[in-house]
Amino acid sequence: MADLWEYRWLLLQGTGMTLLLGITGLVLSLLIGLAGSAARIGGGPIARRIAGGYTTFVRSVPDLCMMLLLFFGGQTLMNKLGAWTGWWEYVEVNAFAAGVITIAFIFGAYMTESFRGAYTSIPKGQFEAAQSLGLTRSQMFRHVTFPQLMGYALPSIGVNWMVLLKTTALVSVLGLHDLVFFGVSAGRSTRNPFAFLIAIMVIYLILTALSDLVLRALERRYTKGRMLRT
Amino acid sequence: MSPDPIADLLAAITVFSETSAPIDFVLILSHWDIFLRGMLNTVALVLIGLSFGALIALPMAIARWQRTPVAAPLVGAFVYVFRGTPMLVQAYVIYYGLAQFDWVRDSVLWVVLKEPWWCCAIAFAINSAAYQVEIYRGGLDAVPRGEIEATIAMGMTRTLALRRIILPSALRRCLPMIGNESLFLLHGSAIASMLTVIDVLGAGRKLNAQYYLAYEGFLAATVIYMLLVWVITRILARVERITMRHLQPIA
Amino acid sequence: MLNRRSLFASAAALMVALGAQAQAEGVLRVAISTGYPPFDVLNADGSYGGFDVEFANLICERMNKTCEFTDIEWDGIIPGLLANKYDVIIASMGINEERMKQVDFSEPYYKGPSALIAKKDAGFTADEAGTEGKAIGVQRATAHECYIGKHMAKADMRQYATSEEAYLDLQAGRIDAVLVDTIPGEEWLKSDPANAEAFAPISADLYDMECFGVGQGIALRKGEDELKAELNAAILKTREDGSYLELSNRYFGRDIYDF
């Protein structure tokens, strides 16, 4: 326990990084998911094909493999592309960017499925009602589609978030100083990896429990309308 | 004319691969043996993880389904802990964490825990078990009441009913979910390379390390994983068709 | 759909913001790889220390620059340099042939052979016949891989992300030996009386020009001859003004510049 106490700030700092990574990844993957589901529902045949291929690719390649490929290969590719097109001189794909982009890329595919499923759950009458009220497309999206979409998609977004949070652990392999990285290196230095690894597990469980609370509150909020109606 | 045009062609391809091509594919192909070894390790580890996971998960799922006192909440805790934490950390606990204790190293357990390969297999089995418990429980919950009542009416004992009627019915329903779980475990299995095991990704890292390359090995690993997923999806679809035959409409 | 376009735009903007990093003047971006005591160490407060880090600071000072450190996994350190993530690697990298194909090096800034460390009563020799079937740990993407491939081809080579993990497995008895650089290996033995009691180098110092090369140097991208000249001049200055000797004595009680 004394070892853990000595390294408490490092663990806390790592937890902060894990959360930052997770939340940034979540926001980006939600954006990708919205775009992807729009492509799959309302896009032309080519957009649909691309969105479908994207999901298949993500389902086919392990996260760690994709992360390493992006971290090491992505940078070289970006720089070659920049030199070839002359658009940029140098783009840094650091461990954080590689981690976030990979996580967003992977979970964007899962979020696409979440939103697509949720969209089909919205009763058709809602859109017809919105049209008959004369709402524009963007008004309809903001006031009718989006709030209900979130309501129906929330449970599955919640599941994705829990998986996403755990996936951030892999970024430690790229050398990003997240919870797992600090925990493992502190365990090595103190020759007491067991205590630190268990501490990491406990911190993850706390984060999971907290997420659960937040999700439940959100779900209550977004499904309020539905509960009143019935 | 050159006496051996094939050799000339091969030499030309090698030169092209080493100098002009964006990836040195000849280098990757010439190390096919480590990738084959990696593939065998990945497949074996995933199969062992899945099947041992199922062995642990089934009794736990039944306990949770029957709400067996003491056992059911324990299983709940097991599921919560192992689904709520990254498999990478669980594997580290088994590999580095347990190895620090003398009593572990002096025990019989060490015969297994000494080997990185088995540490991986254990981590995969336990992690997969946590997910499989919930899948089987879902399957058991979905068995129609009527089927269970029928077994009671027939005078079957609980065990007999489970074995003959309830489990087969539940397991069949679980099959698509188990298929998904096998894909997830395949994804997760890439952490084996962190425990010095040469799996598919490990083979890629080994190649990169040997020649100080950035991504060639990872690219090769990516292709192999895609191939594996394609084959697994094919097999699953076929298995599902066979076991679900009785539910298909009569053509 | 209006929203789709704005979504793409904001996502793209975020990605660029995440990735873009200005390269400041007067900064030398240095890669190290922690988990390699006493050369590259991550302290409990999150700062970096060790011989390489302090030596890098001496070099930067003499180039009138400040060091900006990146801690990176060892097997990604050369790809990172090639991808321009940093300017130099000051992380005890041996100057060998295979690496010279990819990167350029300064003059060596210290020299040390390698050693095979095992249990004192291990009872095998550090050659091909002796190590047959033995599990030997190395750090991934090091010259030690090359050495095992050449001289201990029948051993079961296990690759670790850092040498510290290899030591953990040596202590646990999971592997029979570790092949490491002699200086950090000796430091590890000294770091804990229990280590020195149980383990020892079971070979004479191992040399191999092809694998280990002429010593440890600062790695930089090929074609940056100006930077290379500056680095070499800075190394010389640390020798002349005695700062190198002070550093080396403080860490090792002797001068490690030459054998």
Side-chain angles (χ1 to χ4, degrees):
Chain A
M1 285 313 266
D3 288 337
L4 290 179
W5 187 246
E6 189 193 344
Y7 282 87
R8 64 192 180 280
W9 293 117
L10 222 53
L11 290 178
L12 205 64
Q13 199 185 320
T15 310
M17 177 52 88
T18 294
L19 275 176
L20 181 68
L21 197 62
I23 291 170
T24 321
L26 176 71
V27 171
L28 287 180
S29 66
L30 284 174
L31 292 176
I32 296 177
L34 277 175
S37 58
R40 288 199 77 155
I41 295 162
I46 296 170
R48 263 183 234 194
R49 181 77 52 89
I50 291 174
Y54 163 51
T55 317
T56 313
F57 180 76
V58 167
R59 274 178 68 91
S60 303
V61 185
D63 356 21
L64 183 61
C65 187
M66 215 186 283
M67 226 174 248
L68 289 167
L69 186 63
L70 187 71
F71 184 53
F72 293 121
Q75 174 116 47
T76 316
L77 190 75
M78 288 294 278
N79 287 347
K80 274 186 186 164
L81 199 69
W84 185 59
T85 57
W87 287 346
W88 59 78
E89 256 181 30
Y90 168 73
V91 177
E92 161 92 15
V93 181
N94 57 26
F96 185 80
V100 163
I101 293 172
T102 317
I103 286 173
F105 185 75
I106 293 169
F107 288 91
Y110 294 118
M111 296 298 185
T112 300
E113 295 306 306
S114 304
F115 283 125
R116 198 168 66 121
Y119 186 82
T120 49
S121 314
I122 301 175
K124 287 275 168 303
Q126 297 274 331
F127 301 119
E128 286 156 14
Q131 260 171 347
S132 65
L133 282 172
L135 295 188
T136 65
R137 290 196 74 163
S138 72
Q139 278 175 326
M140 185 162 101
F141 182 81
R142 251 186 312 162
H143 300 296
V144 181
T145 318
F146 187 72
Q148 296 197 61
L149 199 63
M150 287 313 279
Y152 285 108
L154 253 179
S156 123
I157 292 176
V159 171
N160 287 344
W161 159 252
M162 300 285 188
V163 183
L164 188 154
L165 190 64
K166 286 182 289 164
T167 304
T168 60
L170 298 180
V171 179
S172 64
V173 176
L174 308 183
L176 190 72
H177 293 179
D178 75 326
L179 177 59
V180 178
F181 181 93
F182 277 136
V184 168
S185 53
R188 275 196 311 244
S189 319
T190 56
R191 309 243 168 94
N192 189 3
F194 188 79
F196 280 95
L197 290 166
I198 296 296
I200 296 174
M201 286 177 76
V202 171
I203 294 175
Y204 268 103
L205 288 176
I206 294 172
L207 293 181
T208 315
L210 287 178
S211 315
D212 233 9
L213 284 179
V214 174
L215 274 167
R216 267 186 217 162
L218 278 176
E219 244 168 84
R220 263 199 303 276
R221 199 183 129 183
Y222 273 104
T223 51
K224 215 186 247 164
R226 247 190 291 158
M227 282 189 291
L228 277 177
R229 237 191 358 263
T230 47
Chain B
M1 279 299 281
S2 154
D4 190 351
I6 302 286
D8 282 358
L9 183 67
L10 284 178
I13 292 175
T14 310
V15 169
F16 168 74
S17 168
E18 277 172 7
T19 53
S20 335
I23 41 165
D24 192 349
F25 54 88
V26 169
L27 183 73
I28 295 174
L29 290 178
S30 66
H31 286 80
W32 61 273
D33 51 333
I34 52 168
F35 283 103
L36 180 68
R37 188 175 148 205
M39 201 154 81
L40 292 177
N41 270 331
T42 293
V43 170
L45 281 170
V46 169
L47 283 180
I48 288 202
L50 272 180
S51 43
F52 277 68
L55 280 182
I56 316 172
L58 263 181
M60 289 202 285
I62 293 171
R64 211 155 140 77
W65 173 66
Q66 293 179 332
R67 302 204 170 76
T68 314
V70 187
L74 276 179
V75 172
F78 169 84
V79 170
Y80 188 74
V81 168
F82 284 93
R83 295 207 326 173
T85 53
M87 185 157 78
L88 179 67
V89 181
Q90 294 162 12
Y92 280 155
V93 170
I94 292 169
Y95 190 81
Y96 289 112
L98 292 181
Q100 88 187 53
F101 300 112
D102 289 332
W103 59 267
V104 173
R105 294 207 300 272
D106 294 335
S107 71
V108 215
L109 288 175
W110 190 242
V111 181
V112 178
L113 289 177
K114 185 172 185 271
E115 301 302 329
W117 202 92
W118 284 105
C119 288
C120 275
I122 293 169
F124 294 176
I126 293 179
N127 185 274
S128 183
Y131 285 90
Q132 290 189 44
V133 167
E134 290 301 273
I135 295 174
Y136 297 139
R137 193 181 66 138
L140 286 166
D141 283 341
V143 174
R145 283 218 69 80
E147 269 182 42
I148 301 169
E149 278 159 13
T151 63
I152 299 168
M154 295 276 292
M156 282 186 174
T157 61
R158 189 85 176 159
T159 359
L160 192 67
L162 260 175
R163 202 158 45 108
R164 289 254 180 92
I165 310 291
I166 303 172
L167 273 182
S169 166
L171 291 186
R172 234 187 332 241
R173 253 174 266 271
C174 295
L175 219 61
M177 299 288 285
I178 294 295
N180 259 337
E181 166 59 17
S182 66
L183 289 182
F184 278 120
L185 189 61
L186 179 71
H187 280 201
S189 76
I191 61 166
S193 60
M194 301 305 296
L195 304 189
T196 76
V197 173
I198 303 287
D199 66 337
V200 174
L201 185 60
R205 300 185 90 176
K206 193 172 149 83
L207 185 79
N208 284 349
Q210 195 173 346
Y211 297 98
Y212 307 106
L213 303 170
Y215 55 85
E216 277 85 345
F218 299 138
L219 214 56
T222 303
V223 173
I224 294 176
Y225 279 118
M226 290 178 76
L227 205 74
L228 282 177
V229 169
W230 184 75
V231 171
I232 292 175
T233 324
R234 274 300 176 87
I235 295 173
L236 286 173
R238 172 150 303 179
V239 170
E240 221 168 281
R241 235 192 352 259
I242 294 169
T243 51
M244 292 296 191
R245 197 176 276 153
H246 66 295
L247 293 180
Q248 271 160 9
I250 300 158
Chain C
M1 231 167 113
L2 183 142
N3 292 70
R4 213 190 307 164
R5 197 179 305 155
S6 59
L7 277 180
F8 274 130
S10 49
L14 248 167
M15 298 258 180
V16 172
L18 282 173
Q21 248 180 20
Q23 285 180 60
E25 278 289 311
V27 165
L28 186 68
R29 296 175 303 160
V30 180
I32 55 168
S33 187
T34 58
Y36 192 65
F39 287 91
D40 301 56
V41 184
L42 178 67
N43 296 321
D45 60 359
S47 65
Y48 301 125
F51 181 87
D52 280 331
V53 173
E54 291 196 43
F55 173 71
N57 279 324
L58 290 181
I59 293 296
C60 287
E61 261 172 50
R62 273 144 197 82
M63 291 168 72
N64 290 322
K65 290 184 176 186
T66 42
C67 286
E68 189 186 279
F69 290 100
T70 305
D71 181 15
I72 189 154
E73 288 287 305
W74 181 256
D75 59 345
I77 205 164
I78 285 184
L81 178 70
L82 297 178
N84 199 6
K85 284 178 193 289
Y86 29 79
D87 306 311
V88 293
I89 300 169
I90 306 187
S92 298
M93 183 172 278
I95 306 168
N96 70 13
E97 271 178 36
E98 197 61 45
R99 289 189 179 120
M100 294 277 271
K101 288 182 191 162
Q102 304 270 358
V103 297
D104 203 355
F105 282 97
S106 70
E107 295 297 317
Y109 64 90
Y110 79 87
K111 288 175 188 165
S114 293
L116 193 67
I117 295 180
K119 273 217 174 82
K120 276 182 177 165
D121 55 4
F124 61 90
T125 47
D127 51 31
E128 178 152 347
T131 54
E132 186 173 345
K134 301 286 181 203
I136 300 180
V138 294
Q139 188 174 12
R140 190 183 281 123
T142 56
H144 301 120
E145 278 180 13
C146 164
Y147 190 89
I148 288 188
K150 217 172 137 185
H151 301 283
M152 303 174 177
K154 288 175 182 151
D156 169 15
M157 178 171 71
R158 306 265 178 93
Q159 295 168 301
Y160 295 85
T162 70
S163 55
E164 279 189 334
E165 275 149 1
Y167 289 135
L168 279 178
D169 268 2
L170 180 67
Q171 285 168 325
R174 216 175 243 139
I175 51 179
D176 300 299
V178 292
L179 184 59
V180 290
D181 288 337
T182 306
I183 299 173
E186 279 171 351
E187 291 301 317
W188 176 75
L189 289 172
K190 273 191 265 173
S191 67
D192 187 342
N195 293 346
E197 199 179 312
F199 304 101
I202 60 161
S203 63
D205 285 342
L206 304 172
Y207 297 94
D208 184 294
M209 271 306 278
E210 191 198 334
C211 292
F212 301 142
V214 292
Q216 272 69 12
I218 302 175
L220 67 160
R221 277 180 297 278
K222 285 188 175 183
E224 304 203 341
D225 295 338
E226 211 172 301
L227 178 63
K228 186 175 163 181
E230 276 183 68
L231 289 168
N232 282 333
I235 295 174
L236 264 183
K237 271 188 210 156
T238 65
R239 291 298 297 169
E240 282 162 2
D241 62 21
S243 56
Y244 184 102
L245 198 62
E246 185 275 324
L247 183 65
S248 180
N249 278 332
R250 183 149 47 83
Y251 271 88
F252 309 106
R254 65 188 173 92
D255 188 0
I256 61 167
Y257 186 70
D258 231 320
F259 290 116

